[in-house]
Amino acid sequence: MNKHRICLIIFFLTIHCSLALAQTPSLPTQWTKQAKEVTVPFPEYPRPQLERSDWLCLNGKWDYMGGKDIADAFNPQVPVSFNNKAEQILVPYCPESLLSGIQRKQEINMWYRRSFEIPSGWKNKQVIIHFDAVAYHTTLFINGHNAGTHAGSYDAFNFDITPYLTTGKNTVVVAVQDLNDGRVPSGKNGPRGDYTFCSGIWRTVWLEPVNKTHVEDIRLLPELANSRLKVIVNSTGEGKVTAIALDSGNEVSQAEGAGGASFYLPIKSPKLWSPEDPFLYDLTISLKDAKGNIVDKIKSYFGMRDIKLGKVNGVTRPLVNGKFIMQLGLLDQGYWPDGILTAPTEEALKYDIQFTKNAGFNLIRKHMKTEPQRFYYWADKLGLFVWQDMPAIWYQNEDTAKTRTEYRKELKALIDEHYNSPSIITWVPFNENWGAFDVKEITAWVKQYDPSRLVNGNSGFNNNPSYQKAYGDPGNGDYVDTHIYVGPYGASVPDEHRAASLGEFGGVGLFVRGHMWPVANNAYDYEPTRARLTDRYVFLLDQVEQLMKYKGLSVAIYTQTTDVEHEVNGMLTYDRAVEKMEIDRVKAVNEAVIKESYKLAP
């Protein structure tokens, strides 16, 4: 057999094996098959707190070209020419994931293309294209025209593409470059992170028609002390705003204001939002032009709750709606074996939240990433507190004018995007000194920017990566927070102005054959059986209760909701197929500790 023929055979065998590998999940979930077969993934309206009736989902199959040798995708002036090398990618799954159909690591340059037609009912409307998250630098082309750029990995953004549209078929091309160099916010999804990298489009892409004068965004702030909701509606163009609060379809209150200015919606004898009773009011907002015509109408919701520090028997503690509730939670990393940063389906996205609730926890610490708006909707609706981390940068001391500016920009965007969710009660700018800089100043800025929530400036300040000097305890914010593995003894104690939090503890592992990621697996400690692991958890919670009662501890967050790749310390396996503890016993001890916290009221 000649050399040429041998090379051809090897080439085709390599391609065949690569394709077969790409179609074989290392660890499928119960949702993998459905996600791979559906025509339009995530067909649900993606923005529950600013909802319009008319929209078009662009999720599904796109043409795709990617890799180091593909045309540079950083701020290109013209779109690349797609040829017969183009593959098909399933949006919104990142190209590193199984569900995308690509499953290659570290593409760097990514080019996406698809066509669409504007519905006939959108005539004379402005058309907005929304990207709920793309990592990292995005350039948009509509029918060959450059329609805008955006830099960021975790925040939603949009462009008005009306000037570039034509009748009939329109073509959108998206160029994305993600260097994975740790110099932008990336969290665990970076060069010093622990898990598979995720780049490109990884949340929903969608179109929406609006009038020239329309609502751009809203800001809702419950004020329990004054029995009212503060409302700000930012709009394009001037207009009068009418807000109506509803309870089960019945009008509770109505108020009017001007676009861009704050006004108040009275809520007499408000029903309060809490994990025990997560009551949500419906909200409609109408925008009228100068002639009194309604030019935009949206649906939203809100919860009446507040969170602040106070003294309980002389101890500084967080108070929700005026009372202390022990916050017991899970560290929730939000990774998936088939979708990486993207849950395979809406049902899967909800699953982890429902599991946490069913297991008797009242808190999720969303660790080192943000989620789509619908994640927070389910937390709001089902009733779970959320601590929201800011994804870390890794090389904060290199090119500081750029890296630190990118961090601050995305931190502000994160707060703005998720401001209205009643479930979010604490912002966490830094974790274990990762990428830490100006922690004291940034903690103070977050507190000033959003005084309605608590701020944990450097969760686990007692831990630090070996390659940098620890910033340590910033000394301000609302929490003194340590991480203790396995713990919980050694946890921080409150001071005069800050409550005590055990931001991470536990991390006890259990090997479950057939349900582990194909790498060397590890945990902080291990138990040999499900029963023994449950016994260990119950014992840890008994200790947490002692710390709560006698040492002033107010928050305890167990690591973690699920196994994640090499880590086998989850309450669920990574594929969500096996509950690794006896959940009825977990629920019983969690509820018992929370119930004991009610007795601490003076």
Side-chain angles (χ1 to χ4, degrees), residues 326 328 482-493 501-506 508 536-548 551 553 555-558:
M326 180 65 180
L328 283 183
T482 49
H483 295 175
I484 308 294
Y485 286 107
V486 169
Y489 284 115
S492 51
V493 295
S501 166
L502 182 58
E504 295 179 27
F505 80 107
V508 184
R536 182 79 173 272
Y537 180 79
V538 171
F539 175 59
L540 291 174
L541 262 287
D542 289 344
Q543 294 176 304
V544 165
E545 183 178 337
Q546 293 291 303
L547 293 174
M548 176 189 74
K551 297 294 184 180
L553 187 67
V555 183
I557 300 170
Y558 184 82

Side-chain angles (χ1 to χ4, degrees), residues 468-484:
Q468 66 176 45
K469 182 180 178 181
Y471 187 99
D473 183 4
N476 62 342
D478 298 300
Y479 286 105
V480 186
D481 185 298
T482 49
H483 295 175
I484 308 294

Side-chain angles (χ1 to χ4, degrees), residues 16-50:
H16 176 76
C17 290
S18 298
L19 290 172
L21 251 166
Q23 300 304 316
T24 305
S26 299
L27 191 62
T29 69
Q30 60 181 294
W31 306 279
T32 302
K33 186 175 184 292
Q34 176 190 349
K36 287 178 69 176
E37 294 176 352
V38 72
T39 304
V40 181
F42 293 98
E44 301 82 10
Y45 190 84
R47 194 183 52 197
Q49 283 191 296
L50 204 167

Side-chain angles (χ1 to χ4, degrees), residues 194-196 335 340 517 519 521 563-568 574:
D194 292 331
Y195 316 128
T196 300
Y335 274 75
I340 309 181
W517 197 244
V519 295
N521 304 118
D563 294 349
V564 184
E565 299 199 359
H566 61 86
E567 299 175 6
V568 290
Y574 193 23

Side-chain angles (χ1 to χ4, degrees), residues 328-364:
L328 283 183
L330 287 174
L331 190 74
D332 192 299
Q333 311 223 42
Y335 274 75
W336 298 83
D338 46 11
I340 309 181
L341 283 189
T342 307
T345 67
E346 169 89 355
E347 181 187 1
L349 184 73
K350 180 184 175 184
Y351 183 86
D352 287 0
I353 304 171
Q354 187 69 69
F355 169 81
T356 304
K357 183 77 174 180
N358 292 346
F361 295 96
N362 61 12
L363 171 69
I364 287 171

